[in-house]
Amino acid sequence: MECPFCDNTNLSLRKFYENDLFIGIYNLRPFVEGHVLFMPKRHVDSILKLSDAEKKGLMSFANRCIFIALKYANAYQFDLILQEGEFAGQSIPHAHFHVLPRRFDDEVGISKKEWLADFSHREKSLRGNLTNEETEKIIKRLRFIAKEHAVQLEAL
Ligand SMILES: [Zn+2]
């Protein structure tokens, strides 16, 4: 199977932020508003296989994606999720993190502790896939936020 996170057509539609090593994209099946993913550009199935440069750059890139996603969703709290391996719920064998902006009135609607158990199932079934038009609209706004806050992002 072709890796969707190595597919340039898919990435160019979904990306809202990137540098040499990492890319941030909007999730195809957003679980909450502002549900973004970020990942190394290089195809690795595990964060344990990151290069030294990737390990060094990871948290700073994470901070920037989180910042943009929170601005987008008008939220101040978030879940940061990494699923590695089949039993952990990893569906695409290219290491990636989920950022889920969380609000008191968000759509998760169940106990904040219990919801993670439901995450994999609900991510697939809660909504249908976004259309390309919906994605384009969202990406436009995310890119605008990234551009507007370029100075703040550089400092993260
Ligand atoms: Zn890949």
Side-chain angles (χ1 to χ4, degrees), residues 3-6 41-44 93-94:
C3 174
F5 297 160
C6 292
K41 285 182 172 175
R42 199 167 58 87
H43 184 95
V44 283
H94 182 138

Side-chain angles (χ1 to χ4, degrees), residues 32-83:
V32 291
E33 192 184 2
H35 180 176
V36 303
L37 311 175
F38 66 89
M39 64 208 66
K41 285 182 172 175
R42 199 167 58 87
H43 184 95
V44 283
D45 59 1
S46 169
I47 61 160
L48 302 178
K49 295 175 185 169
L50 293 181
S51 69
D52 286 346
E54 287 164 341
K55 279 185 247 177
K56 274 187 191 152
L58 179 64
M59 208 59 224
S60 157
F61 193 84
N63 285 0
R64 294 169 186 199
C65 287
I66 291 164
F67 182 99
I68 294 165
L70 291 179
K71 286 273 176 203
Y72 177 84
N74 197 21
Y76 297 93
Q77 301 181 358
F78 60 93
D79 289 290
L80 175 60
I81 297 168
L82 170 68
Q83 296 171 297

